[in-house]
Structures are given as structure tokens and as C-alpha cells.
Amino acid sequence: MEQLREAATPCYFYDLQLLRETLAAVRREVPENDPAFRVHYAVKANSNPRILGEMAAQGLGADCVSGGEIELAIAAGVPAGRIVFAGVGKTDEEIELALRAGIGCFNVESEPELLVINELAGRIGKKAPVALRVNPNIDAHTHHYITTGLEENKFGINLELLPGVLRVLKGLENLEFQGIHLHIGSQILTMEPYALLCERVAELQRTIEAEGLELKSINVGGGLGIDYENPDANPIPDFREYFSTFRRHMQLREGQTLHFELGRALVAQCGSLIARVLYVKEGTAKKFVIVDAGMTELIRPALYGAHHRIENLTSSEGEETYDVVGPVCESSDCFATDERLPLTHRGDLLALRSAGAYGEAMSSAYNCRHLRPTLYRN
Ligand code: LLP
């Protein structure tokens, strides 16, 4: 923490040692040479090149949702064959980039997208590996903004439409069918939805085999949650429980591979947003701590009502209740209400913990604000 004292704020701080320990914990459950399980990193959670470099060094694949993410993953050393490209709205340019790079799989979300990929692959003279994203209609009991596997979502192909799409796919000669892709949501803390997902996959296997297609891979997405309230007590998610749920419930056929694409669980706990206290303002019923970071640097509280644990890195004396707010001209620019903190003063440094996932990656330049240089513990 010493290196943070003089930090130019607001900035992100990443503990790369914790990241390596987290990845080592994943590798204990799923070694790189595991015969069936393949772990990918969902780049959207954090596309910082040093973080991507750590993922590549561990042999993880990358789950990308844009041409930009594909380019970053390749630049960080992820082999193109371990990249999957997902998203409901892939542009022609992005599809071409991915085809030329030779990515491992397109996760296709609709019939019109299949037709476009087939046409572009034909023009380039390549066969495109494709998986169909299926909407499993499972409630992951998480925030409605981050639930993706329910029927009314824009993602994936609904179960009853699948046989028709499979028939179309069989007639497209520039596509190579790989398998299916499912994702049920994010910040999932119980294993029950994953066990249900395994049951759903068993039914899907039968539907697809009935169409005479062979399923080479099954991608079960990501979503494993983390402990936002106690990051120090639980810095590393329970990967044993997570992967063993799939080992127990998923009935893989001979030679099939099971793909995971974890984002938050890999990177959330290694990152903090560091902010400096500008003012402590007395209201009539409340005291406000006004910091130099806002929703522009960490939007999760404003967007999802998420709470990130806040620590005062400078003071530890006394205790007081504050609302911790940012400088942006929006009422939702508030990190926490009624937060218990040590007595806090102008100039104190605060850490907003568990901000390594969907923190910096979702930051914006609204109000012409800019993050200061990122700091690392190496
Ligand atoms: N695979 C797919 C198809 C996804 O849509 C997502 C996340 C992931 C994998 C990775 O999910 P994770 O393991 O990180 O839960 N911005 C929100 C989270 C949005 C998640 C979007 N999809 C937040 O800050 O909570």
C-alpha cells in the first residue's frame, strides 16, 4: 500500500500476485492438459494488456465480443485457435477479421448471422467453425440487468427454434458445426443454476444428435460470482465447488470438450479503484465524503445498485457514517450510502475494493474525465 500514498488519483490498482494465485487455483482444478475441460477468460471483464498477458501465460483461451477484443487477445499472446467470438451484433468487418485470424469458434446468436458468416467465409475461401448460442431459459437469480439466460432476453436462440436453425445450418457449406454455447447470467453464487444447466445440456445433446449432427464442444459460459463484502476473507472464489459441479452433472460424450468463459471470478478481487477525498461535507442529516473518482471510473453502483467495499487507506481512528459520492453531475454518482468508515478527512486515500471486473473496462470519458496511470503489485 506504500506505493499508493503518492498515487495520482483516481486510478486503478491491480494486485497481479493475487491474480496469479487465482489462476493457479483454477489450474489446480483444470490443468492446461485436462482432456475435456477448457477455460477461457471473458475479456470484457477487463481488457488491460498486463492482465491479458497473465491469462495467456496460463494458457487460457479468450472469450471476445468485438474485433477490438480479438486484436487485444492476440496481441497478448492468446493463440487465435483458443479465441471464441460471441455477441448478438457482429459486424461484417469483425467477422472477416476473425475469419482471417483463424479463431477457434464463432458463437452464433441467430439464423441471419449464420447466413452472413457462411457468405463471408465463402468469399474468403475458409470454413468458419460455429457454435449455436442457445437460450437455456434458466433463472440464475441475479440482477435483472445481468441475467441473460431467460427467454425474453435478446441473447441466443430459443429452444423451440433450435431444430429449424440446425436444419438451415446443415445446408450451409462454409460452416463447420462445433457445438453449443449457453450463458445463464453473472454473479451467480449458488451451484443449483449450473446443475440445472447441465440437465438442459443433456436434453440439447439429444435434440442435436437427432438432427444427425455431432457435438464437439459445449460452452457453458461464465457467471461465477465473488464475495464483494468480504474480499480479504474470500479473495479467491471456490473453483473446486464450481468445476466439480460440472464434473458431477455434465455427461460428456467421448471426445467432447466443455468450455468455460469466466470473467469476474478471475479478475474482480485483484483490482481496486483508488480515490482521494476532496471534501467532507456536513449536510443536515448526513455527512458526505466527496471523492475524486465517480461513476465515470466505476459505474457498477450507479448502474446496478452494486456495493463495493470501501476502505480508508490513510486513517483508522474513530468511526462515522457517511455517504460516499463522486464529483459527476448526476444524483446516481454515489458509491455508498450510510457507509461506516473511520473518521475521514480531506486528502485521505480510499480503496473501492473488488473492482477488477467491469470497473476500468466500463469506465467512460463523460465530463471529459480521465483515469490516471494504473498501478500494479507485481
Ligand atoms: N460469457 C458470456 C456470453 C457473457 O455474456 C458473459 C458476461 C461472460 C461469459 C462472463 O461473465 P462473468 O464470468 O464475468 O460473470 N457488467 C456487469 C456484468 C455483465 C456480464 C455480461 N456478460 C457487472 O458489472 O456486473
Side-chain angles (χ1 to χ4, degrees):
M1 287 292 153
E2 204 40 51
Q3 69 177 124
L4 293 179
R5 233 167 273 290
E6 300 307 315
T9 53
C11 70
Y12 271 90
F13 166 74
Y14 296 114
D15 182 346
L16 297 180
Q17 284 182 20
L18 175 58
L19 175 60
R20 283 180 212 119
E21 284 167 32
T22 306
L23 300 183
V26 170
R27 279 297 179 226
R28 276 196 292 280
E29 304 309 317
V30 183
E32 199 177 345
N33 62 1
D34 190 283
F37 283 23
R38 306 270 181 275
V39 182
H40 291 233
Y41 168 57
V43 175
K44 63 166 83 69
N46 191 321
S47 54
N48 174 304
R50 288 187 63 175
I51 289 182
L52 289 179
E54 299 290 339
M55 303 296 174
Q58 287 305 317
L60 299 193
D63 159 39
C64 297
V65 291
S66 70
E69 286 191 357
I70 293 173
E71 286 171 331
L72 276 179
I74 290 175
V78 179
R82 289 189 188 167
I83 293 178
V84 298
F85 183 19
V88 284
K90 304 177 186 77
T91 67
D92 293 18
E93 195 185 345
E94 288 174 316
I95 293 168
E96 275 195 36
L97 180 148
L99 283 167
R100 289 189 200 282
I103 66 155
C105 195
F106 288 85
N107 290 335
V108 177
E109 308 230 5
S110 67
E111 190 178 312
E113 186 191 329
L114 270 184
L115 301 177
V116 169
I117 295 177
N118 181 61
E119 189 195 322
L120 294 175
R123 232 186 272 162
I124 293 176
K126 285 199 168 189
K127 274 216 184 292
V130 296
L132 292 180
R133 177 162 180 183
V134 181
N135 196 334
N137 202 17
I138 290 172
D139 191 348
H141 305 293
T142 179
H143 193 286
H144 67 283
Y145 278 7
I146 48 180
T147 303
T148 45
L150 281 172
E151 219 153 304
E152 66 266 31
N153 276 301
K154 69 175 173 180
F155 301 101
I157 297 163
N158 278 355
L159 287 175
E160 66 275 13
L161 300 177
L162 184 65
V165 179
L166 288 169
R167 266 164 243 151
V168 171
L169 194 157
K170 277 193 282 187
L172 299 174
E173 53 189 13
N174 305 316
L175 303 183
E176 208 169 84
F177 180 67
Q178 299 290 312
I180 49 170
H181 173 224
L182 313 96
H183 173 76
I184 55 175
S186 202
Q187 183 56 12
I188 297 169
L189 289 167
T190 64
M191 293 303 115
E192 184 213 336
Y194 289 119
L196 275 175
L197 178 63
C198 295
E199 280 175 30
R200 200 53 52 83
V201 167
E203 294 159 24
L204 279 166
Q205 296 235 53
R206 288 192 286 274
T207 310
I208 292 167
E209 285 162 357
E211 290 296 329
L213 283 164
E214 190 200 344
L215 260 171
K216 293 185 193 132
S217 69
I218 296 162
N219 181 335
V220 287
L224 178 63
I226 60 129
D227 190 342
Y228 279 98
E229 289 312 313
N230 304 293
D232 290 326
N234 294 306
I236 299 179
D238 192 342
F239 292 116
R240 170 150 299 173
E241 188 190 26
Y242 174 70
F243 288 112
S244 67
T245 300
F246 289 93
R247 293 211 189 270
R248 237 177 301 128
H249 295 277
M250 188 68 79
Q251 286 154 7
L252 292 178
R253 311 273 194 266
E254 183 82 28
Q256 266 179 349
T257 52
L258 188 63
H259 296 233
F260 300 86
E261 36 191 42
L262 294 170
R264 188 189 321 263
L266 303 186
V267 293
Q269 298 292 30
C270 81
S272 297
L273 174 62
I274 308 299
R276 207 172 285 278
V277 176
L278 295 173
Y279 306 103
V280 179
K281 172 169 150 178
E282 303 262 350
T284 40
K286 280 178 176 290
K287 286 191 170 67
F288 294 95
V289 166
I290 302 168
V291 297
D292 63 1
M295 62 191 290
T296 39
E297 287 70 45
L298 179 64
I299 201 175
R300 302 192 69 259
L303 194 56
Y304 313 118
H307 181 254
H308 288 252
R309 200 182 158 85
I310 301 176
E311 275 168 24
N312 188 325
L313 303 177
T314 319
S315 310
S316 54
E317 312 263 294
E319 210 183 16
E320 185 56 274
T321 303
Y322 301 102
D323 281 11
V324 180
V325 302
V328 176
C329 309
E330 302 268 350
S331 312
S332 57
D333 186 30
C334 174
F335 287 126
T337 50
D338 299 328
E339 183 83 7
R340 297 292 287 170
L341 285 175
L343 284 179
T344 296
H345 320 274
R346 172 174 165 82
D348 285 0
L349 274 187
L350 302 188
L352 287 108
R353 302 287 308 277
S354 315
Y358 308 108
E360 188 178 1
M362 292 179 82
S363 64
S364 79
Y366 181 46
N367 285 191
C368 296
R369 293 171 49 79
H370 300 292
L371 272 164
R372 310 301 292 274
T374 303
L375 299 173
Y376 300 91
R377 175 168 173 243
N378 209 340

